[in-house]
Each structure stands twice: as C-alpha cells, then as structure tokens.
Amino acid sequence: TDDTVLTVAVAESLLTGRDYVDTFKEFSRRHPNRGYGTHYYVWMKSENRQPYNSWGNGSAMRVSPVAWARDTLEDVLAEAERSAAVTHDHPEGIAGAQATALAVFLARVGADKQEIKAQVTARFGYDLDRTPDEIARDMKDLIDFDKAVLVEDQIPGPVEP
C-alpha cells in the first residue's frame, strides 16, 4: 500500500540521514500504483519539493519508525513534525503524525494504555473514548474518493483499558 511504501521510506531516511523529500519521491516512483491520494501522486511525480498543505491521514500512517529511532519524547515529536511537514504541513497533518508517534513511543517505553490515552488527549485534544461504530458513523459522509479524509476524523480512536 501507499502507507507501507512511505513507512519504509521514513525508516530509510532515519537510518541513512537522507532527506525525506528525496526518499519519499524515490520510493513512491519505484512503487507508483499503491493507492496514493491524488495530491500526493501529483506531488511525487513532479519536481516540486514544497509541501501542499495536506491535512489527511498520510503523515500519521507513515510515522511509526520515528518512535523507534528517537529516544526522548521531545525528539520524537520534533522528528514526527519534520516527517509530516514534507507533504502534510497543515497543523492537523502535523498533529496527527505527532499523536501517532507519541502513542507508539509511549508504548515502546512501557506506558500502559491509560497513560497513552491521557498523554494523547492532553497534548492533542483528541476524543479517544469514541467506539469504532461512532467513528464509522462520523466518517460516513467523509469517505469519498474525491475528498481528502481529515486526519482528526480518523486517527483518534478508542483506547480501551
């Protein structure tokens, strides 16, 4: 999938120090038909290196390697922002990546579900008490291949004790 390709690209950038833009474009061009969104697809095929203000969920879907490559919460959040801002420079795109990286990092260092939930809620204001059915109902009108799916509507999900 597009998310798999870009997760591996994030890991590659972290392991080698290569620029995210170069790595994203190289990996995406090598694997062009993986379900990329329209804006991302146009961006990756172009020579344009500037972000396109996305607030979709792509930045959150690809960020997990950051939580394994950085050793402090501050470094995780800063690197998550850098990895997101390449394409998802809208504040919601950045927040979604940071919230996901935060949750993975906290799990990695042994935090329990309640601590993860408390940290994500406190830092980002996400409602993590919604059930999967409530999320699906709320997203019903958003799922349209001609519209972007907002990260704030998808990433915050239930965290059960």
Side-chain angles (χ1 to χ4, degrees), residues 93-150:
I94 291 169
Q98 289 179 314
T100 301
L102 171 65
V104 174
F105 176 76
L106 291 173
R108 183 192 123 200
V109 299
D112 64 24
K113 290 178 185 180
Q114 289 308 314
E115 176 63 19
I116 295 168
K117 179 179 179 180
Q119 287 271 351
V120 171
T121 300
R123 287 180 181 267
F124 299 100
Y126 290 156
D127 178 3
L128 301 180
D129 290 319
R130 295 185 303 163
T131 67
D133 287 341
E134 290 169 330
I135 294 169
R137 184 195 67 230
D138 293 346
M139 289 189 58
K140 183 178 170 204
D141 295 331
L142 293 174
I143 302 297
D144 181 340
F145 290 108
D146 294 327
K147 297 179 189 173
V149 176
L150 303 181

Side-chain angles (χ1 to χ4, degrees), residues 1-15 23-24 27 30-31 61-65:
T1 68
D2 58 333
D3 298 328
T4 303
V5 170
L6 292 171
T7 298
V8 174
V10 168
E12 174 78 10
S13 287
L14 291 167
L15 290 169
T23 308
F24 288 3
F27 277 55
R30 252 194 284 159
H31 305 282
M61 299 301 286
R62 68 187 183 220
V63 76
S64 61

Side-chain angles (χ1 to χ4, degrees), residues 39-92:
H39 291 111
Y40 181 85
Y41 191 83
V42 169
W43 177 83
M44 72 97 156
K45 296 289 255 179
S46 75
E47 296 306 313
N48 181 11
R49 298 180 59 80
Q50 299 304 308
Y52 50 89
N53 201 36
S54 177
W55 57 18
N57 68 0
S59 61
M61 299 301 286
R62 68 187 183 220
V63 76
S64 61
V66 167
W68 293 92
R70 298 294 179 258
D71 292 321
T72 68
L73 182 57
E74 295 75 22
D75 288 346
V76 166
L77 295 174
E79 193 65 39
E81 180 174 358
R82 281 191 288 280
S83 75
V86 171
T87 53
H88 293 66
D89 58 329
H90 185 280
E92 286 300 330

